[in-house]
Amino acid sequence: PNKMPDRALWLQPDAAKAFYEICDVVEVSDMYRTPESSLSAVKRGRGALRPGWSPHGYGWAIDLKLKESMSNLGRKLGLGRRATKAELDAFMESHGFFCLRRDHTLGAEAWHYNFFGVGYVVPAKSKSTYRLMEDKIVATYGDQLRPNPKECQRLLQKLGLYGGKIDGILGAISREAFLVFQRGWEIPRTGKDDIRTRRTLAFVAREMIAVPVAA
């Protein structure tokens, strides 16, 4: 269950089941992101986190159209008005989705919700769920996000960027492959297996398939 996530077009199964319970209320502007769409979102200023770091890429996040979702919730609750952001956040949390921001305002990233599950409690001092989600990603996938030199060579070979031996020795051929990969994914070009490169490579190069979820 803790294998690197499949490149599904949908949320992780638990998040998807929770989403089905609220999809008649909330309107989504973004859900799952491929590595390519995640990089594009960063370039357009739409996403703050790069491929391999964004929870959208792991199926654990959704972005909402806030005004539409707040209006829909107001109607559902019979309020006779648009629901407030705090009311929307409370509704989302009751289904396991927690806003990145913890101040219930409409500032930057107020539309972004991370999935932690029903009953999860965000520490009172937390101003954001960013670090909490990052900790969840690392705890779930562990060393898969930190491939060793030999595994890096395998992944680069899989992408058609490396034609040398799979020996874990990062010589000239490996450095050239890293440089090409770094240039393509707009990572600082070091030619080395630094942590940013390793994690992006691990995320980009995995085989991904759709995960069916029962309705």
Side-chain angles (χ1 to χ4, degrees):
N2 293 341
K3 187 179 178 182
M4 183 69 73
D6 293 329
R7 186 175 291 178
L9 298 178
W10 317 109
L11 297 168
Q12 286 278 7
D14 288 344
K17 291 176 183 177
F19 176 71
Y20 290 149
E21 298 174 356
I22 61 175
C23 62
D24 62 332
V25 175
V26 300
E27 295 193 27
V28 174
S29 62
D30 202 355
M31 188 178 285
Y32 178 80
R33 286 181 188 161
T34 64
E36 295 80 6
S37 63
S38 186
L39 182 60
S40 176
V42 171
K43 290 181 178 179
R44 291 183 287 109
R46 176 61 180 159
L49 300 176
R50 301 178 66 82
W53 274 264
S54 172
H56 284 290
Y58 297 89
W60 275 330
I62 58 176
D63 289 348
L64 299 186
K65 296 179 180 179
L66 290 177
K67 290 183 179 179
E68 294 86 342
S69 297
M70 290 158 66
S71 294
N72 292 345
L73 180 59
R75 285 191 290 271
K76 179 180 179 67
L77 299 179
L79 300 177
R81 58 170 173 78
R82 177 187 293 170
T84 65
K85 182 60 165 57
E87 289 168 336
L88 176 62
D89 287 351
F91 173 76
M92 294 296 289
E93 289 182 14
S94 71
H95 292 85
F97 290 94
F98 293 76
C99 187
L100 181 71
R101 297 177 66 105
R102 303 303 300 152
D103 58 7
H104 309 304
T105 65
L106 297 175
E109 295 296 326
W111 52 80
H112 179 103
Y113 290 81
N114 289 321
F115 182 78
F116 293 98
V118 176
Y120 182 81
V121 177
V122 176
K125 294 183 179 180
S126 297
K127 296 182 179 180
S128 167
T129 58
Y130 161 72
R131 177 51 59 186
L132 300 171
M133 177 51 69
E134 171 64 8
D135 289 346
K136 179 178 180 178
I137 291 171
V138 172
T140 302
Y141 302 110
D143 289 342
Q144 293 179 76
L145 301 176
R146 300 180 292 274
N148 61 37
K150 187 175 290 188
E151 181 64 12
C152 283
Q153 290 174 328
R154 288 197 185 95
L155 296 175
L156 288 167
Q157 184 183 70
K158 187 176 185 178
L159 294 175
L161 301 178
Y162 178 72
K165 295 180 180 179
I166 307 298
D167 55 10
I169 301 173
L170 303 182
I173 299 176
S174 295
R175 286 196 294 273
E176 286 300 317
F178 278 124
L179 284 170
V180 173
F181 179 79
Q182 290 165 343
R183 182 169 60 249
W185 289 95
E186 299 193 359
I187 301 168
R189 282 176 256 178
T190 64
K192 299 178 181 179
D193 60 334
D194 53 79
I195 185 60
R196 181 181 296 185
T197 300
R198 290 162 65 198
R199 181 156 166 174
T200 305
L201 177 61
F203 184 74
V204 168
R206 300 294 175 177
E207 286 292 339
M208 307 290 184
I209 58 173
V211 178
V213 178

